[in-house]
Structures are given as structure tokens and as C-alpha cells.
Amino acid sequence: LGRPGSGCTTLLKTLANQRAGYTSIDGEVTYGGTPAEEMGKKYKGEVLFIPDEDLHYATITVKNTLSFALKTKTPGKDSRLEGESRGAYVKEFLRIVTKLFWIEHTLGTKVGNEYIRGVSGGEKKRVTIAEAMVTRASAQCWDNSTKGLDASTALEYVQSLRSLTNMARISTAVALYQAGESLYDCFDKVVLLHEGKCCYFGHTEDAVEYFKELGFVQPDRWTSADFITSVTDEHERHVKDGWEDKIPRSGEDFDRIFQQSEQKKRNLKEIEEFEGETQKLTEARHEAQTKATKKKNFEVSFPKQVMACTQRQFLVMIGDKQATVGKWGGIGYVL
């Protein structure tokens, strides 16, 4: 959680290994014990960053959008059911994932954008989630993912992310600027950012009490997320009588108090226990590695990737006939 400009996107990009735009990154990021540098070289597809805008080709249908992702992420023969072909895997997975996220009725509809009529905003968000599920990435970071959605659609969207997290057993981080109580309850932990500093990180059910102990008051009918975010805004926060000179105000004040808190000590203990578990998992994973998976994690060969991209580009072109005719007509006129 955080107000615009607090550093949520920067944090998510760092967690998602999207480091190209930064001159330096301090600290260490590991993925189940694997360093960020190794993940970027060998297992780039295991970590996703999904921006707030849904990036799809507007001129192709939902079915073709998901089919492309499935074709390029179809597991090898040893990982599929006995006797199951690649085509059968794609068809069955497409049926299941569209039914799971309530978009089976949109399969023949173009994704669309502000110029091309297509699916609704909520349906497009669910297409994005379905595409992320197809990738089976181990860590996924969603930036301001409820932007432009009404309260009920945003809740359905986050519940879909929760289902994806539970079923695929992945780590999901979501940046939100506003969240209702039902939406807030979908998460296990929450981090509050202000001026690029960590004001709180811990279990969602402990966050409200933590800030109340710092001297802040939660008004009636305010959701937990609204209250937590309000403490960083001098115009919105409510303070206990007599605590006006005691509360933290800047990001550095919040960070300093949190670093000395019992919550930080509990976090360090949980991290230590988790690192002990990941050490065992890392050793088991290295033992299970084959020659094919030690250096890459591509499910399909390079020629099949080229074929899939070529087919998709053809669909993009014929999906917008006017633009295609205009381009070729312009080229013919110049020649």
C-alpha cells in the first residue's frame, strides 16, 4: 500500500528483476535461494512484472491471445499426461483457464483498446490473469492492478489473483492505492511505503493495531487499508489527543520506528526460518535438474517459437484490415 509516488512501482520492479532503468540497487534479492543475477540469465520467465495497463494486441481475439501463450509454454512430453499431444494440452488448458476466470464467452471477441471495440475492462483484466497463469511464473508482481475498475470488479479481480496464487503455489505481490476491506482480507501480508521508506511490513491482521499504538486513530467506517494509508498523509490522518508531537511524520521517521519495533524482530525470525526451508528446497531442486534445465527453462524449441510468433503477427495484421491495406497501399504508392 502507498500513496502515488511512495515507491510501490520501484519496489515491484526490483522484486520482479526489472533493473534496467536503475543506476544501482542496494541489498540482495533471491528467489527461493537463487540470486537475482542468475534468475535474469537462466530463468527470466520465472519472474513476471505486470504493469497497470493491460498490454495485449487489440486486433486478435482472446482465444488467440491465450493460445499463443499456451503454445510457447507447453511443457515437454515428460511433464504432460501420457499420450497427450501438444495440441490436446493447449485445447484442454484453454478450456479450463477460461472457465476458471469466467471469460469463456469472450473467446471469439477481440481484446480491443480505446480505438477497437473488444472485451470490457474487467474481462481484459481477467485475460491478463489467465495469461499469467499460463506462464506458470513462480513470482508475479502486479502494479496498481485495480486501476480503472469499480469496487465489485476490483474485488473479483483480486480474488482471481488469490485463486491463481493458491492453485499455482506462487508468490504474488500487488501494489494498490485504494482497497476495500474484503479486498484487503485477500492478502497474507502488507507493506506500507512512504517516501521510498518501509513504514510497516507484516501480517495484514496486525497492521491496524501497530499504527494505533503509534498514536493514530481509525475513524468509524474506515477500512483497514484506508486507515493504514492515511497515516502517511498529513491532511487525512487522525491522531490521538496529546500525541500530536509524538507521531512519526516523514518516511524516515516511520522507517526508524519500524526498524526498532517488535514487528521487525518477528519478521527477521520468520525470514530466518524460511531461509532454512529454502536451503533444503534449493538442494533438492539442484539434484532434480537435468542437463536441459540447468541453463534454460524454455519449453519449446527456437523454430517453434519463431513459428508461433509468425502466426500471431499474421493474426494481428488480418485483424486490422484497414491499417494493413493502408500500409501496403502507402508502400505501393511510394514505389
Side-chain angles (χ1 to χ4, degrees), residues 17-272:
N17 224 8
Q18 302 285 324
R19 303 181 169 216
Y22 304 107
T23 55
S24 65
I25 293 177
D26 300 328
E28 182 183 7
V29 180
T30 61
Y31 304 87
T34 304
E37 293 74 15
E38 186 177 351
M39 289 294 291
K41 291 179 181 178
K42 298 181 181 179
Y43 312 109
K44 196 172 183 179
E46 290 297 320
V47 187
L48 288 185
F49 174 77
I50 300 94
D52 52 356
E53 299 292 340
D54 296 294
L55 302 178
H56 299 287
Y57 284 103
T59 57
I60 62 177
T61 63
V62 172
K63 180 179 180 179
N64 289 328
T65 298
L66 296 178
S67 294
F68 171 80
L70 281 164
K71 288 176 183 177
T72 54
K73 295 294 287 188
T74 302
K77 185 177 180 180
D78 295 337
S79 299
R80 300 196 302 267
L81 297 175
E82 186 176 354
E84 186 180 36
S85 65
R86 286 183 175 274
Y89 173 88
V90 170
K91 184 177 180 180
E92 181 63 13
F93 202 120
L94 181 65
R95 183 189 69 82
I96 293 173
V97 77
T98 53
K99 194 173 186 63
L100 179 65
F101 295 116
W102 319 302
I103 53 175
E104 63 263 49
H105 62 285
T106 68
L107 285 174
T109 308
K110 291 181 180 179
V111 176
N113 56 18
E114 59 269 26
Y115 305 111
I116 299 173
R117 186 174 182 179
V119 297
S120 67
E123 290 168 343
K124 188 182 292 186
K125 290 285 186 183
R126 289 197 285 272
V127 171
T128 303
I129 299 175
E131 195 174 43
M133 185 174 187
V134 169
T135 67
R136 303 190 305 280
S138 303
Q140 301 183 8
C141 300
W142 300 74
D143 185 26
N144 195 16
S145 49
T146 57
K147 178 182 178 181
L149 300 180
D150 58 71
S152 61
T153 306
L155 177 58
E156 290 179 359
Y157 175 63
V158 173
Q159 286 174 338
S160 298
L161 282 180
R162 178 78 250 187
S163 300
L164 168 62
T165 304
N166 293 342
M167 289 185 296
R169 297 180 63 82
I170 61 174
S171 299
T172 307
V174 183
L176 297 172
Y177 296 108
Q178 289 182 323
E181 197 65 34
S182 299
L183 191 153
Y184 178 80
D185 290 338
C186 291
F187 294 90
D188 300 314
K189 292 187 177 182
V190 60
V191 57
L192 175 67
L193 297 178
H194 179 45
E195 297 176 353
K197 301 293 185 179
C198 177
C199 305
Y200 173 85
F201 173 64
H203 294 281
T204 51
E205 61 268 21
D206 299 330
V208 170
E209 191 60 34
Y210 172 83
F211 287 107
K212 285 182 177 179
E213 291 176 357
L214 294 184
F216 297 99
V217 176
Q218 181 180 12
D220 294 338
R221 295 185 296 278
W222 275 39
T223 66
S224 298
D226 287 339
F227 167 61
I228 293 169
T229 309
S230 73
V231 303
T232 62
D233 189 340
E234 60 180 334
H235 301 295
E236 289 188 11
R237 58 188 171 214
H238 294 71
V239 184
K240 292 180 184 177
D241 293 336
W243 286 71
E244 289 79 7
D245 297 329
K246 300 178 183 179
I247 62 166
R249 299 180 185 277
S250 66
E252 292 184 354
D253 291 341
F254 278 104
D255 181 60
R256 186 183 66 255
I257 292 174
F258 177 71
Q259 295 299 331
Q260 300 170 354
S261 68
E262 289 297 320
Q263 180 61 47
K264 177 64 181 297
K265 294 178 182 177
R266 289 195 292 269
N267 288 345
L268 292 176
K269 186 177 179 180
E270 287 186 13
I271 291 171
E272 185 178 350

